[in-house]
């Protein structure tokens, strides 16, 4: 008889502890959601649209100087590598007093490949010239931006070697063909550097090309512009005095990554409503098991169960979404 009593007691104890355990695992969660209304003021000022690209410094003029006559014997080579020359300066003369070879433009002779007594033929390279005082940079511009780039546009430049210096230039050429990589294409844009002090061929550059500018533009943040089912653009005017709002159709002009010009529909100083930001936070807590379980049974012969510890509280993380 005692055996069955102990079996019954054991079943009750196991069942009670199991109930306490699963009860402790149950979670009570609470979630709070807050929605904040954001606004912005219609501003008036200078609005500039720019496009960026990166590239390297190159010389505008770097060319081989070639012989123009056949089988002429060289009398004198008048320059050496490293010499600076001016346009039209004599470089090579001939024994038959034929016309000498002259520099096509100012620059530095970077190499000489002939000597006195050599006979040369038409088209043979006699020297190489590079003008290090007349520099340009060729930058790669994304295909989505290239339609906005035009010859003559103003450019601001920086060089990795001189991070505190700023240079200026103008777009002189836009490539007709692009280079494709990883599913997208870039196009080379050539920019002549106005005053390339300290810059050297091969240095890395970053260019900011000014594609559009308005001095007294009315503008709002880009997310203040909405579009209806008829593809009409509008803003929501907020009246702080009455607490009401009004939908106003607008026309837009130039756009930057952050702001959009409004050419009609609003006036300076008006308040426009931005999309609401909804923030939600959640927290959960777990109930603790009863200390000691069935403590009164702990002294029974044959053993009992040690007290279980209390579960801690777990805090939820906040999330933010824009609608």
């Amino acid at each position: 008889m005692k055996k069955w009593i102990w079996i019954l007691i054991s079943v009750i104890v196991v069942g009670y502890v199991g109930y306490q355990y699963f009860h402790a695992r149950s979670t009570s969660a609470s979630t709070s959601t807050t929605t904040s209304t954001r606004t912005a003021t219609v501003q008036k000022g200078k609005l500039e649209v720019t496009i960026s690209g990166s590239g390297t410094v190159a010389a505008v003029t770097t060319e081989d100087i070639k012989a123009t006559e056949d089988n002429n014997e060289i009398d004198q080579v008048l320059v050496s590598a490293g010499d600076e020359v001016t346009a039209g300066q004599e470089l090579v003369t001939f024994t038959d007093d034929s016309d000498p070879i002259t520099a096509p433009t100012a620059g530095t002779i970077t190499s000489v490949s002939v000597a006195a007594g050599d006979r040369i033929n038409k088209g043979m390279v006699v020297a190489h010239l590079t003008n290090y005082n007349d520099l340009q940079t060729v930058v790669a511009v994304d295909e989505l931006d290239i339609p906005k780039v035009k010859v003559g546009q103003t450019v601001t430049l920086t060089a990795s070697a001189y991070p505190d210096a700023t240079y200026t230039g103008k777009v002189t050429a836009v490539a007709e063909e692009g280079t494709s990589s990883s599913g997208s294409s870039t196009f080379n844009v050539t920019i002549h550097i106005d005053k390339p002090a300290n810059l050297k061929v091969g240095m890395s550059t970053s260019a900011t090309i000014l594609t559009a500018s308005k001095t007294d533009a009315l503008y709002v943040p880009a997310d203040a512009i909405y579009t209806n089912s008829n593809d009409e653009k509008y803003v929501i005017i907020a009246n702080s005095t009455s607490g009401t709002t009004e939908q106003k159709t607008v026309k837009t002009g130039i756009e930057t990554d952050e702001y959009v010009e409004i050419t009609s529909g609003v006036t300076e100083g008006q308040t426009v409503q931005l999309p609401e930001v909804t923030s939600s936070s959640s927290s959960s807590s777990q109930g603790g098991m009863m200390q000691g379980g069935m403590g009164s049974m702990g002294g029974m012969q044959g053993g009992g169960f040690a007290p279980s510890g209390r579960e801690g509280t777990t805090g939820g993380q906040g999330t933010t979404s824009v609608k």
Side-chain angles (χ1 to χ4, degrees), residues 39-104:
T39 60
T41 303
V42 179
Q43 300 183 62
K44 185 176 185 180
K46 189 173 185 179
L47 198 61
E48 294 183 337
V49 182
T50 59
I51 290 173
S52 299
S54 59
T56 55
V57 175
V60 174
T61 302
T62 179
E63 60 179 290
D64 289 329
I65 301 172
K66 300 178 180 181
T68 57
E69 301 291 338
D70 282 329
N71 204 30
N72 279 0
E73 183 180 349
I74 295 176
D75 181 32
Q76 287 183 300
V77 178
L78 303 175
V79 292
S80 301
D83 289 348
E84 292 189 6
V85 298
T86 58
Q89 181 177 329
E90 291 186 0
L91 308 179
V92 176
T93 59
F94 299 100
T95 56
D96 62 359
D97 291 330
S98 58
D99 291 338
I101 297 176
T102 60

Side-chain angles (χ1 to χ4, degrees), residues 24 27-30 282-288 310-316:
T27 302
S28 60
S30 62
S282 62
S283 62
S284 61
S285 61
Q286 295 177 332
R310 182 175 297 277
E311 296 278 345
T313 301
T314 304

Side-chain angles (χ1 to χ4, degrees), residues 28-40:
S28 60
S30 62
T31 302
S32 61
T33 301
T34 58
T35 300
S36 59
T37 300
R38 301 182 300 136
T39 60

Side-chain angles (χ1 to χ4, degrees), residues 141-144 178-181 183-187:
V141 174
D142 187 88
E143 61 182 321
L144 299 179
T179 301
S180 180
S181 177
S184 62
S185 295
T186 58
F187 289 76

Side-chain angles (χ1 to χ4, degrees), residues 203-238:
M203 284 184 172
S204 299
T205 58
S206 295
T208 302
I209 305 169
L210 181 63
T211 60
S213 177
K214 290 284 186 71
T215 302
D216 292 318
L218 289 177
Y219 60 90
V220 296
D223 58 351
I225 305 294
Y226 301 85
T227 304
N228 62 23
S229 58
N230 296 323
D231 289 332
E232 293 178 330
K233 294 180 179 180
Y234 67 92
V235 297
I236 299 174
I237 304 295

Side-chain angles (χ1 to χ4, degrees), residues 13-303:
V13 170
V14 171
Y16 182 84
V17 172
Y19 167 79
Q20 290 291 340
Y21 175 79
F22 286 107
H23 179 71
R25 299 296 297 176
S26 64
T27 302
S28 60
S30 62
T31 302
S32 61
T33 301
T34 58
T35 300
S36 59
T37 300
R38 301 182 300 136
T39 60
T41 303
V42 179
Q43 300 183 62
K44 185 176 185 180
K46 189 173 185 179
L47 198 61
E48 294 183 337
V49 182
T50 59
I51 290 173
S52 299
S54 59
T56 55
V57 175
V60 174
T61 302
T62 179
E63 60 179 290
D64 289 329
I65 301 172
K66 300 178 180 181
T68 57
E69 301 291 338
D70 282 329
N71 204 30
N72 279 0
E73 183 180 349
I74 295 176
D75 181 32
Q76 287 183 300
V77 178
L78 303 175
V79 292
S80 301
D83 289 348
E84 292 189 6
V85 298
T86 58
Q89 181 177 329
E90 291 186 0
L91 308 179
V92 176
T93 59
F94 299 100
T95 56
D96 62 359
D97 291 330
S98 58
D99 291 338
I101 297 176
T102 60
T105 185
T108 300
I109 300 297
T110 60
S111 65
V112 177
S113 52
V114 295
D118 290 349
R119 286 190 174 274
I120 59 176
N121 295 316
K122 184 178 181 179
M124 181 178 176
V125 176
V126 299
H128 188 86
L129 179 146
T130 299
N131 189 346
Y132 293 113
N133 296 317
D134 188 18
L135 302 180
Q136 62 188 12
T137 182
V138 180
V139 300
V141 174
D142 187 88
E143 61 182 321
L144 299 179
D145 293 325
I146 204 65
K148 303 173 187 175
V149 181
K150 309 294 180 185
V151 171
Q153 288 174 335
T154 301
V155 184
T156 301
L157 297 161
T158 57
S160 299
Y162 306 108
D164 297 327
T166 301
Y167 301 86
T168 59
K170 289 191 180 298
V171 175
T172 56
V174 180
E176 294 294 333
E177 295 184 11
T179 301
S180 180
S181 177
S182 302
S184 62
S185 295
T186 58
F187 289 76
N188 284 342
V189 175
T190 304
I191 301 162
H192 184 263
I193 304 172
D194 295 332
K195 296 179 180 179
N198 301 321
L199 292 180
K200 296 184 182 297
V201 172
M203 284 184 172
S204 299
T205 58
S206 295
T208 302
I209 305 169
L210 181 63
T211 60
S213 177
K214 290 284 186 71
T215 302
D216 292 318
L218 289 177
Y219 60 90
V220 296
D223 58 351
I225 305 294
Y226 301 85
T227 304
N228 62 23
S229 58
N230 296 323
D231 289 332
E232 293 178 330
K233 294 180 179 180
Y234 67 92
V235 297
I236 299 174
I237 304 295
N239 190 320
S240 58
T241 303
S242 62
T244 60
T245 59
E246 176 190 3
Q247 183 173 308
K248 193 77 171 179
T249 302
V250 297
K251 292 183 178 179
T252 60
I254 63 176
E255 301 179 9
T256 70
D257 291 338
E258 297 180 354
Y259 299 102
V260 177
E261 178 195 14
I262 298 184
T263 58
S264 67
V266 298
T267 58
E268 182 182 2
Q270 284 186 303
T271 300
V272 293
Q273 190 168 298
L274 304 179
E276 293 179 342
V277 174
T278 300
S279 299
S280 62
S281 61
S282 62
S283 62
S284 61
S285 61
Q286 295 177 332
M289 292 177 64
M290 182 181 295
Q291 290 284 347
M294 291 182 65
S296 59
M297 296 184 179
M300 288 191 294
Q301 294 182 2

